[in-house]
């Protein structure tokens, strides 16, 4: 029944086992007390506990045998998670051993990457980081799997590098210590809102709100790899982004006359004058209205620049051809004096004509680029601050310009850097507010059992406290719980402030430790744990990698839409292209003469299919004459006259046993009527 309390349901208490480094369970530490568990979002969880030296047995105090079993680097299994013991010390005053342990990936601090310089997507760089370790990659967010980042490492632990990767992609790491896997998610995709509400009178004992106004940034300078700037892709043409939303709040207005710029103020800002607020909103709207035009111009400029690069490369080749032709003619003239070679002269003339024609195309392309650049500059000029703000407003605005520099060497693409800069400014433009909540340990209260499953790291919780005018939804970034002391504390990062209507984020701290260690990173392992040397395995995986590279690195693509459907091709490769039409995605490698591979609603058609086939319930391979090979729960069934295994012998000869003496062929036929025929190169029929 909904809302019914199960009085027999026991509150949570962790089961803790001691194990050797190979995970062999030694004993259960049921006598452990003062258990303190800390969970960190995007970090390493921690556990601390105490083990008494003396325990009671048959009304006598005897030495606890488990104390002598505890050693550094041994493991603790806490429910489904594995921890590695990082510290154990004894206290005479308590007569107990204090144990500290950290989540199993903490072991990666003993592995080191000495030197690395790679530009990879998230999947590839994670595999490189985890090479020569028992860990593997389980899940990578689809966006991260397509985004390239540059990484340069000089002697860094693998644990540190893991968190560097997460920072580069603005992602969150999750560890599966049972299966030794690492996953990376977008922050917004971690945790859900399960409806947990905390307020005065409901669980809340104490709340601390710590806003940090010193680090508020309204102008963020954004830089990437080798000083890469966003000037070329920023509509304002600056190396920085601006956001005054925090100081605008809660200003609102209603436009009454667009032409005469008349408006009515509904609510005033706590910081800015109404006139400045109106000018900022007006300028923001102008930027937003022109964003589509900027995007089109930037895309056109990128296309033209790519075309210009191709033309310049062709021009360089033609220039080289011309020089070679002139050299050959000069060499001939030096040997034969006045004896002219008309073919060589014609070759020089032809090379000059080709060069000049390509030069004209190159200059024309430069002129097109200049036109687009001019259009971009014209748009930028129309959006200059002086066109919207008065000198007095600019002076007031300058009081709220707080600058900061953000650099991430992982970015080598200006567009991606620009988008990441927008995300970083959204976080930096608001005061970072840390909330710490001391709450009732409702996980031990049977009457609160309906909320037990609503408290998890990364989940969303609603927090209300009227005296502080707090009414927020927040993401849980840290949970600290002392099991025996009935203490429960959570730290939250505010996601949507309902009271004020803007976004606030705290910078999530990486809970990692730096060390030095030795590691050979030149060897790369497969997830299967061994090196696959077979030719077919290498061929399959090379095909898969090649397809992935085509998707990631594909540029200069031509997309044509006509009555025949959509054609996607590379202008430099006329033989290979894709044709998309109703119900069919078809591929050709001979210019459209044949389409040997296609994906339809009925299945996949192809001469060659490279990859790894994983069958579901049944696997059936059937020919046009109803001959079939089937694998199901009953085993393998072959519907046909015979199963033939041969190293090249014609099947009809093998089946009849007719074979020439000394033939190199060997074979086996299992025939439904004739029985088993085995042939060898040293005799006609070995056995029937």
């Amino acid at each position: 029944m909904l809302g019914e309390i199960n009085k027999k349901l026991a509150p949570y208490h962790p089961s803790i086992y001691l194990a050797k480094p190979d995970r062999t369970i030694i004993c259960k530490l049921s006598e452990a007390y003062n258990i303190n568990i800390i969970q960190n979002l995007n970090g390493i969880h921690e556990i601390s506990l105490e083990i008494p030296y003396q325990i009671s047995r048959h009304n006598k105090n005897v030495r606890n045998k488990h104390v002598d079993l505890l050693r550094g680097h041994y493991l603790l299994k806490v429910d489904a998670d594995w921890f590695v013991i990082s510290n154990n010390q004894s206290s005479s005053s308590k007569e107990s051993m204090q144990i500290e342990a950290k989540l199993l990936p903490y072991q990666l601090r003993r592995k080191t990457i000495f030197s690395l310089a790679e530009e990879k997507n998230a999947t590839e760089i994670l595999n490189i980081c985890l090479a020569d370790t028992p860990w593997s990659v389980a899940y990578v967010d689809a966006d991260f799997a397509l985004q390239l980042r540059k990484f340069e490492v000089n002697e860094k632990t693998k644990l540190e590098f893991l968190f560097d990767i997460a920072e580069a992609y603005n992602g969150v790491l999750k560890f599966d210590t049972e299966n030794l896997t690492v996953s990376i998610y977008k922050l917004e995709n971690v945790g859900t809102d399960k409806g947990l509400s905390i307020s005065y009178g409901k669980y809340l004992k104490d709340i601390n709100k710590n806003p940090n106004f010193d680090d508020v940034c309204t102008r963020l300078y954004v830089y990437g790899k080798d000083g890469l700037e966003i000037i070329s892709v920023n509509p304002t043409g600056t190396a920085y982004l601006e956001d005054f939303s925090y100081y605008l709040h809660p200003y609102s207005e209603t436009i009454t006359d667009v032409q005469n710029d008349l408006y009515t103020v509904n609510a005033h800002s706590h910081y800015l004058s109404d006139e400045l607020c109106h000018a900022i909103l007006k300028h923001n709207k102008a930027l937003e209205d022109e964003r589509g035009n900027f995007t089109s111009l930037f895309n056109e400029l990128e296309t033209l620049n790519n075309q210009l690069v191709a033309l310049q490369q062709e021009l360089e080749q033609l220039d080289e051809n011309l020089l070679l032709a002139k050299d050959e003619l000069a060499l001939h003239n030096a040997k034969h004096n006045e004896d002219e070679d008309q073919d060589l002269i014609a070759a020089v003339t032809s090379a000059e004509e080709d060069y000049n024609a390509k030069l004209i195309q190159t200059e024309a392309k430069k002129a097109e680029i200049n036109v687009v650049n001019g259009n971009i500059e014209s748009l930028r000029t129309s959006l200059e601050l002086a066109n919207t703000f008065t000198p007095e407003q600019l002076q007031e605005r300058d009081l709220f310009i707080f600058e900061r520099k953000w650099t991430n060497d992982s970015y080598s693409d200006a567009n991606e850097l620009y988008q990441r800069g927008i995300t970083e400014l959204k976080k930096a433009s608001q005061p970072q507010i840390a909330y710490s909540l001391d709450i009732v340990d409702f996980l031990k209260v049977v009457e609160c059992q309906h909320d037990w499953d609503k408290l998890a790291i990364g989940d969303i919780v609603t927090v209300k406290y009227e005296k502080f005018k707090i009414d927020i939804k927040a993401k849980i970034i840290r949970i600290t719980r002392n099991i025996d002391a009935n203490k429960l504390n959570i730290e939250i990062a505010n996601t949507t402030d309902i009271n004020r209507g803007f976004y606030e984020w705290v910078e999530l701290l990486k809970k990692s430790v730096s060390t030095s260690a030795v590691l050979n990173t030149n060897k790369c392992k497969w997830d299967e744990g061994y090196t696959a040397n077979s030719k077919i395995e290498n061929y399959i995986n090379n095909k898969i990698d090649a397809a992935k590279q085509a998707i990631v690195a594909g540029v200069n693509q031509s997309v044509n839409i006509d009555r025949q459907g959509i054609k996607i091709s590379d202008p430099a490769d006329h033989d290979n292209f894709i044709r998309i039409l109703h119900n069919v995605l078809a591929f050709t490698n001979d210019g459209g003469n044949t389409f040997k591979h296609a994906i339809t609603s009925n299945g996949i058609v192809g001469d060659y299919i490279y990859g790894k086939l994983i069958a579901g319930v049944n696997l059936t391979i059937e020919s046009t004459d109803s001959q079939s090979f089937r694998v199901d729960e009953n085993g393998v069934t072959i519907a046909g006259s015979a199963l033939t295994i041969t190293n090249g012998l014609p099947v009809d000869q093998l089946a009849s046993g007719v074979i020439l003496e000394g033939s190199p062929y060997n074979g086996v036929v299992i025939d439904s009527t004739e029985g088993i025929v085995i042939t060898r190169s040293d005799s006609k029929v070995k056995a029937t």
Side-chain angles (χ1 to χ4, degrees):
M1 181 176 178
L2 184 63
E4 184 177 352
I5 302 298
N6 182 1
K7 297 291 186 178
K8 297 182 180 180
L9 190 62
Y12 167 80
H13 191 279
S15 297
I16 304 175
Y17 295 87
L18 178 65
K20 291 184 177 181
D22 63 358
R23 298 196 181 198
T24 300
I25 299 294
I26 300 175
C27 62
K28 182 177 182 180
L29 301 177
S30 55
E31 72 278 19
Y33 69 99
N34 195 21
I35 302 170
N36 196 57
I37 300 175
I38 301 175
Q39 295 175 283
N40 300 296
L41 180 64
N42 199 34
I44 300 297
H45 303 337
E46 304 169 28
I47 184 172
S48 62
L49 51 92
E50 294 187 39
I51 301 294
Y53 273 91
Q54 300 286 326
I55 58 174
S56 178
R57 285 287 185 270
H58 307 295
N59 297 322
K60 292 182 180 180
N61 287 333
V62 298
R63 182 177 177 81
N64 185 0
K65 295 180 180 180
H66 294 167
V67 172
D68 299 321
L69 299 175
L70 286 160
R71 288 174 175 81
H73 303 321
Y74 268 32
L75 305 182
L76 296 180
K77 185 177 184 182
V78 184
D79 298 328
D81 287 325
W82 290 88
F83 293 74
V84 57
I85 295 176
S86 58
N87 187 27
N88 60 306
Q89 57 185 8
S90 301
S91 171
S92 59
S93 60
K94 292 186 177 181
E95 295 187 350
S96 65
M97 178 180 287
Q98 290 83 46
I99 300 170
E100 295 178 2
K102 293 180 173 60
L103 201 65
L104 198 59
Y106 182 75
Q107 292 177 325
L108 293 174
R109 65 193 284 272
R110 301 201 298 266
K111 303 284 188 178
T112 304
I113 295 178
F114 285 101
S115 179
L116 181 144
E118 297 282 357
E119 184 175 21
K120 300 290 185 181
N121 61 41
T123 305
E124 293 170 332
I125 198 65
L126 283 172
N127 280 323
I128 290 174
C129 178
L130 298 175
D132 291 331
T133 76
W135 293 80
S136 61
V137 180
Y139 172 81
V140 174
D141 186 275
D143 288 344
F144 300 160
L146 295 176
Q147 295 174 358
L148 294 179
R149 295 285 184 271
K150 282 191 174 181
F151 297 91
E152 290 187 0
V153 176
N154 291 311
E155 193 169 353
K156 181 171 289 188
T157 72
K158 293 207 168 191
L159 184 60
E160 288 179 296
F161 189 39
L162 271 179
F163 288 111
D164 285 348
I165 294 170
E167 167 63 20
Y169 286 95
N170 202 24
V172 174
L173 296 173
K174 296 185 74 174
F175 302 99
D176 181 345
T177 58
E178 180 64 35
N179 299 303
L180 299 180
T181 62
V182 180
S183 300
I184 183 168
Y185 296 82
K186 286 186 175 180
L187 179 62
E188 56 267 32
N189 294 337
V190 176
T192 58
D193 186 352
K194 299 173 183 173
L196 179 61
S197 178
I198 298 174
S199 60
Y200 184 74
K202 183 182 180 183
Y203 303 151
L204 184 62
K205 294 163 60 178
D206 186 28
I207 182 171
N208 292 309
K209 177 182 178 181
N210 303 307
N212 183 357
F213 293 95
D214 290 340
D215 293 333
V216 173
C217 169
T218 57
R219 176 180 288 179
L220 186 67
Y221 288 83
V222 182
Y223 297 97
K225 177 71 173 177
D226 298 326
L228 176 68
E229 296 181 321
I230 61 172
I231 294 175
S232 62
V233 296
N234 188 358
T236 61
T238 62
Y240 57 79
L241 301 168
E242 291 183 327
D243 185 353
F244 296 93
S245 58
Y246 175 74
Y247 296 103
L248 276 167
H249 186 81
Y251 177 85
S252 68
E253 65 181 22
T254 301
I255 303 298
T256 57
D257 188 339
V258 176
Q259 186 173 359
N260 296 310
D261 196 23
L262 299 177
Y263 59 95
T264 301
V265 177
N266 303 318
H268 303 282
S269 164
H270 298 313
Y271 294 93
L272 310 179
S273 66
D274 292 341
E275 294 76 17
L276 179 56
C277 289
H278 172 70
I280 291 175
L281 292 179
K282 183 179 178 181
H283 182 67
N284 290 345
K285 185 178 185 304
L287 281 173
E288 188 61 34
D289 290 343
E290 296 293 351
R291 192 173 301 279
N293 292 331
F294 273 113
T295 301
S296 298
L297 288 171
F298 288 146
N299 290 338
E300 183 180 0
L301 183 63
E302 183 180 11
T303 300
L304 291 174
N305 281 326
N306 289 335
Q307 293 172 351
L308 177 62
V309 170
L311 287 171
Q312 289 173 331
Q313 290 174 345
E314 294 173 6
L315 187 65
E316 289 177 3
Q317 183 61 52
L318 291 173
D319 184 40
E320 185 178 345
N321 294 343
L322 177 58
L323 291 175
L324 290 174
K326 287 182 177 180
D327 289 345
E328 191 172 354
L329 178 60
L331 181 62
H332 171 81
N333 291 339
K335 290 182 177 180
H336 301 87
N337 295 326
E338 301 297 329
D339 183 16
E340 296 183 347
D341 188 312
Q342 297 301 319
D343 290 338
L344 292 178
I345 294 174
V348 171
T349 302
S350 176
E352 287 179 338
E353 291 175 350
D354 291 342
Y355 176 82
N356 291 331
K358 190 62 65 177
L359 181 61
I360 292 173
Q361 293 181 33
T362 303
E363 294 302 319
K365 191 62 64 178
K366 290 180 179 179
E368 290 183 61
I369 291 174
N370 289 335
V371 170
V372 175
N373 278 325
N375 293 336
I376 291 175
E377 287 304 315
S378 296
L379 268 181
R380 285 174 171 169
T381 300
S382 68
L383 294 173
E384 287 181 352
L385 296 178
N387 297 328
T388 306
F389 297 87
T390 66
E392 293 76 19
Q393 290 170 353
L394 287 174
Q395 188 174 2
E396 180 187 356
R397 181 178 182 270
D398 189 65
L399 296 174
F400 297 92
I401 294 178
F402 308 125
E403 298 178 335
R404 191 190 302 173
K405 178 182 177 181
W406 181 85
T407 302
N408 191 319
D409 290 337
S410 299
Y411 286 83
S412 57
D413 180 88
N415 279 306
E416 291 185 0
L417 181 65
Y418 174 75
Q419 295 300 325
R420 178 65 184 273
I422 293 175
T423 300
E424 292 301 318
L425 182 57
K426 282 182 179 179
K427 295 189 291 184
S429 63
Q430 316 293 342
Q432 294 183 355
I433 301 179
Y435 293 90
S436 178
L437 284 71
D438 185 11
I439 61 178
V440 173
D441 190 358
F442 62 89
L443 300 177
K444 279 196 170 184
V445 181
V446 176
E447 287 76 13
C448 301
Q449 59 188 252
H450 298 301
D451 284 336
W452 285 355
D453 61 344
K454 297 178 182 178
L455 182 67
I457 197 74
D459 276 357
I460 305 297
V461 60
T462 300
V463 179
K464 297 181 181 181
Y465 190 64
E466 293 183 0
K467 290 183 179 180
F468 287 179
K469 294 185 177 180
I470 295 175
D471 188 352
I472 60 174
K473 281 186 177 294
K475 184 178 288 288
I476 302 171
I477 63 171
R478 185 179 174 95
I479 300 175
T480 303
R481 187 182 181 208
N482 191 299
I483 305 297
D484 300 310
N486 298 326
K487 291 182 179 180
L488 181 59
N489 182 279
I490 63 175
E491 294 179 22
I492 56 179
N494 192 19
T495 56
T496 304
D497 193 320
I498 301 171
N499 182 48
R500 290 176 290 176
F502 60 84
Y503 288 90
E504 296 173 335
W505 291 94
V506 294
E507 191 68 29
L508 303 181
L509 298 178
K510 297 177 291 186
K511 311 296 183 181
S512 59
V513 181
S514 302
T515 62
S516 297
V518 177
L519 178 65
N520 178 8
T521 59
N522 295 324
K523 183 178 179 181
C524 184
K525 288 187 177 180
W526 296 90
D527 290 344
E528 291 86 355
Y530 63 92
T531 302
N533 291 317
S534 69
K535 292 182 180 180
I536 186 64
E537 184 71 32
N538 289 332
Y539 190 58
I540 288 172
N541 286 291
N542 285 335
K543 287 290 180 181
I544 294 172
D545 288 343
K548 178 171 60 179
Q549 290 297 325
I551 293 170
V552 172
V555 294
N556 295 333
Q557 300 297 301
S558 173
V559 181
N560 297 322
I561 304 176
D562 54 27
R563 296 179 63 184
Q564 293 181 316
I566 302 174
K567 178 184 176 182
I568 304 175
S569 62
D570 184 343
D573 185 359
H574 300 288
D575 289 334
N576 293 277
F577 61 83
I578 302 172
R579 176 77 70 182
I580 305 173
L581 57 156
H582 175 66
N583 214 28
V584 176
L585 175 63
F587 304 81
T588 181
N589 59 2
D590 56 11
N593 292 323
T594 61
F595 290 86
K596 301 182 181 70
H597 304 86
I599 301 175
T600 73
S601 59
N602 295 322
I604 301 175
V605 181
D607 281 356
Y608 298 95
I609 299 177
Y610 304 105
K612 299 176 182 179
L613 178 64
I614 300 176
V617 178
N618 300 314
L619 171 63
T620 302
I621 304 174
E622 188 170 357
S623 66
T624 54
D625 57 354
S626 299
Q627 306 295 305
S628 67
F629 177 95
R630 179 180 177 84
V631 181
D632 55 24
E633 69 270 18
N634 297 319
V636 179
T637 303
I638 302 174
S641 59
L643 170 64
T644 303
I645 305 172
T646 174
N647 70 339
L649 177 67
V651 175
D652 55 346
Q653 293 186 27
L654 180 60
S656 62
V658 178
I659 184 170
L660 298 175
E661 291 286 352
S663 171
Y665 298 126
N666 298 306
V668 178
V669 174
I670 303 176
D671 191 279
S672 58
T673 56
E674 298 295 331
I676 301 176
V677 178
I678 303 174
T679 64
R680 292 176 57 85
S681 58
D682 54 1
S683 62
K684 284 187 178 181
V685 179
K686 187 70 176 179
T688 300

